[in-house]
Amino acid sequence: MKELERLQKQVEDLEIKQEFQEHTIEELNDAVTEQQNAIMRMNTQIAFLVTKLKAMEPANIASMNEETPPPHY
């Protein structure tokens, strides 16, 4: 009988470990899914910003080498 009790205890322990692992895997999957969604949103936002930056008119300020030196030179 003692051997049967030991085997039952081992089976129970394995079932508990399996449930814990399944729960952990579900939590990790949820975290990865959230991160993937966040990455996709950021990629969309970056693409939008790149488009906006490319469409911007250049500033009306001349570059340093095009500017005439100030009068005190």
Side-chain angles (χ1 to χ4, degrees):
M1 235 12 196
K2 191 156 183 119
E3 181 69 18
L4 181 60
E5 290 173 0
R6 186 182 66 78
L7 288 175
Q8 285 177 336
K9 174 73 172 134
Q10 284 180 337
V11 169
E12 287 175 10
D13 289 346
L14 288 172
E15 288 175 341
I16 290 170
K17 286 180 181 180
Q18 179 197 13
E19 286 295 321
F20 177 76
Q21 288 175 345
E22 285 179 2
H23 178 71
T24 302
I25 289 170
E26 286 180 30
E27 287 181 335
L28 290 171
N29 185 55
D30 291 344
V32 169
T33 301
E34 286 178 28
Q35 289 175 347
Q36 184 61 37
N37 290 336
I39 289 170
M40 288 169 53
R41 281 191 310 273
M42 285 187 263
N43 282 339
T44 301
Q45 292 170 340
I46 289 171
F48 175 77
L49 289 174
V50 166
T51 303
K52 285 290 195 183
L53 285 173
K54 286 181 178 178
M56 287 177 65
E57 292 288 327
N60 290 334
I61 301 173
S63 66
M64 288 298 286
N65 58 356
E66 293 174 345
E67 286 287 331
T68 55
H72 62 275
Y73 274 110

